[in-house]
Amino acid sequence: SGEFYRHATTEASQATLASVSPVFAVMKLDKEGNTTCFEKKKTELYQELGLQARDLRFQHLMSIATRNNRIIVRMEFLKAVITPEFLLVLDYRNLNLEHWLINELASQLAGEGQLVTYSLPFEFRAIEAILQYRISKLQGRLNTLQPQILETLEALVDPKLLSVDRSKLHILLQNGKSLSELETDLKVFKETILEILDEEELIEELCLSKWTDPQVFEESTSGIDHAEEMELLLENYYRQAEDLANEARELRVLIDDSESIIFINLDSHRNVMMRLNLQLTMGTFSLSLFGLIGVAFGMNLESSLEEDPRIFWLVTGIMFLGSGLIWRRLLSFLGRHLEPPLPPHVSAVLKKSQPAAGRVEVKSSLKAEAFGLSRSALTNQ
């Protein structure tokens, strides 16, 4: 009874695990471009492909690996398994991949596209089609970001602007974030390809038909090395990703330079306002300084000056004239200490440097002669 209970419990647990196993929506594409869609549980799928459960986790952001003469590809949202006879795309319904899978990928695998690997086995066409799709997506993101960033920077980098539009800065911040994500994706793409290019065994494992088809194996041994073809294919898309990364890097440098220009313009306008404020402060100081004369005459003290009708205009003139002179002196002092000095004239610098060079040559010749005389004296001794 105990053995029967344990056996029933094991069967029940296995049935429970099988019932909760995820179901993949699979699209199968063969060499002729024929498409078949079906649903299959994960356990059944990896058993049919001769894989293990961990091979279909797709936990990496991007990976290209080989297991049991199968190529497992994960590129962002694309999950695929490549065999020498067909290509399986998993979980394609919720990723908006139907248009590419049916209209483009099927025709490319059938030999109606613009791939360069039609003369090679099926896995070459599948890998090239997937890499081309990924590069085209990255190129499209860059083509979308580039005009937006350039337009925003052109609107921001204007020396006539006294302030910066916050909406433009918000757009630039969003575009900069999208550009950083694009740079990260390009970096991951290049690192994944470079890891394969650095290992000759991985490149050999990607050539599936070389180990299953005797004719392909004979062609590879007779001079058509499929491993070299696979290496050239991966290197081609690595160079394309490198070009996209360089363009993204140039955009990043342009954003950084534009930010520096924006800060310089704002600092320049801020300095103008500070200088204007300083000039007004000096004018107020000069007026208040000579305004003491009016304060002195405004006191309730009797003198003989208030009886003269011409003394009002004389004191007023002295006040304004003294205030103006002091203000001018302060402005000249401010100009001497704030304006940068003029650079020296180039011709004057050259004229001054030529005699100095002549003196250096004379000194060096005198040192050489003295050194020669000292050596001759030593040899004579």
Side-chain angles (χ1 to χ4, degrees):
S1 61
E3 292 179 357
F4 178 76
Y5 176 75
R6 286 195 298 271
H7 181 68
T9 305
T10 304
E11 289 184 351
S13 61
Q14 290 179 353
T16 304
L17 291 175
S19 62
V20 299
S21 178
V23 178
F24 286 142
V26 184
M27 178 178 287
K28 180 179 179 180
L29 299 97
D30 57 10
K31 298 180 180 180
E32 288 74 24
N34 300 321
T35 305
T36 306
C37 300
F38 57 89
E39 293 184 356
K40 185 162 289 190
K41 291 184 178 180
K42 180 179 180 180
T43 54
E44 299 176 357
L45 185 62
Y46 71 72
Q47 289 175 1
E48 288 183 4
L49 295 174
L51 301 175
Q52 297 182 3
R54 64 175 179 270
D55 296 331
L56 300 182
R57 287 178 190 163
F58 299 105
Q59 71 274 17
H60 302 290
L61 180 64
M62 178 177 175
S63 62
I64 302 175
T66 55
R67 298 284 189 279
N68 196 15
N69 207 30
R70 303 284 189 268
I71 301 175
I72 305 167
V73 181
R74 164 69 190 266
M75 290 192 179
E76 199 176 11
F77 302 111
L78 179 63
K79 310 172 185 178
V81 178
I82 303 173
T83 69
E85 294 81 18
F86 55 84
L87 167 66
L88 296 180
V89 181
L90 312 179
D91 287 345
Y92 67 93
R93 291 180 177 175
N94 299 327
L95 303 176
N96 298 322
L97 296 175
E98 290 89 346
H99 176 76
W100 173 69
L101 292 173
I102 298 174
N103 298 333
E104 298 183 18
L105 182 60
S107 60
Q108 287 177 345
L109 296 178
E112 300 175 359
Q114 298 179 353
L115 303 180
V116 297
T117 55
Y118 290 127
S119 59
L120 296 172
F122 174 76
E123 63 268 15
F124 285 82
R125 281 178 280 167
I127 291 176
E128 184 181 4
I130 292 175
L131 293 178
Q132 190 181 75
Y133 169 75
R134 181 60 176 160
I135 284 292
S136 63
K137 285 295 182 182
L138 295 174
Q139 180 71 54
R141 289 168 59 184
L142 182 61
N143 293 338
T144 303
L145 283 174
Q146 189 172 11
Q148 295 179 359
I149 291 175
L150 294 178
E151 182 181 358
T152 306
L153 292 178
E154 186 178 359
L156 287 174
V157 183
D158 189 356
K160 298 180 181 179
L161 295 177
L162 298 178
S163 61
V164 179
D165 191 357
R166 292 188 176 181
S167 61
K168 296 291 183 181
L169 285 178
H170 183 66
I171 294 173
L172 183 61
L173 181 62
Q174 291 179 343
N175 292 333
K177 183 179 179 181
S178 302
L179 185 61
S180 299
E181 295 175 355
L182 177 60
E183 289 177 339
T184 303
D185 294 340
L186 287 170
K187 181 181 179 182
V188 171
F189 183 90
K190 291 193 303 177
E191 289 178 352
T192 304
I193 300 297
L194 192 60
E195 288 178 0
I196 301 175
L197 291 174
D198 290 339
E199 298 292 337
E200 186 176 356
E201 296 179 357
L202 296 179
I203 299 176
E204 291 281 351
E205 291 176 358
L206 291 177
C207 303
L208 304 179
S209 301
K210 183 178 179 179
W211 313 109
T212 57
D213 192 347
Q215 182 180 358
V216 175
F217 184 78
E218 291 178 0
E219 291 178 357
S220 180
T221 56
S222 63
I224 305 175
D225 193 354
H226 289 79
E228 292 182 359
E229 297 290 341
M230 181 64 72
E231 184 177 0
L232 291 175
L233 175 64
L234 295 176
E235 188 176 355
N236 178 30
Y237 284 96
Y238 178 83
R239 286 201 305 268
Q240 293 185 28
E242 184 68 26
D243 294 338
L244 293 179
N246 291 333
E247 293 182 12
R249 196 177 301 111
E250 290 177 359
L251 275 180
R252 174 64 61 187
V253 172
L254 185 61
I255 290 176
D256 295 339
D257 294 342
S258 301
E259 288 179 353
S260 301
I261 293 174
I262 292 171
F263 292 147
I264 289 172
N265 289 336
L266 293 178
D267 290 340
S268 176
H269 292 301
R270 191 181 300 111
N271 292 336
V272 170
M273 299 303 294
M274 292 175 63
R275 186 164 183 169
L276 178 60
N277 187 19
L278 184 58
Q279 290 176 355
L280 293 177
T281 303
M282 290 187 299
T284 306
F285 170 73
S286 59
L287 285 175
S288 60
L289 182 63
F290 278 85
L292 295 176
I293 301 176
V295 173
F297 278 95
M299 291 188 297
N300 296 324
L301 297 176
E302 294 183 356
S303 63
S304 60
L305 296 177
E306 65 269 9
E307 298 177 358
D308 192 350
R310 296 173 297 177
I311 199 68
F312 171 77
W313 301 106
L314 180 61
V315 172
T316 304
I318 292 173
M319 289 173 56
F320 280 100
L321 182 60
S323 300
L325 290 176
I326 291 178
W327 191 43
R328 292 286 296 177
R329 293 289 296 175
L330 291 175
L331 288 179
S332 62
F333 175 80
L334 180 66
R336 286 197 307 269
H337 287 78
L338 292 184
E339 291 181 359
L342 294 176
H345 199 265
V346 178
S347 59
V349 174
L350 291 177
K351 289 179 180 178
K352 291 181 180 179
S353 61
Q354 287 176 359
R359 288 195 297 270
V360 170
E361 292 178 358
V362 171
K363 289 182 179 179
S364 61
S365 61
L366 290 175
K367 288 181 180 179
E369 291 178 359
F371 181 69
L373 291 174
S374 61
R375 287 192 59 185
S376 61
L378 287 174
T379 52
N380 292 330
Q381 290 178 1

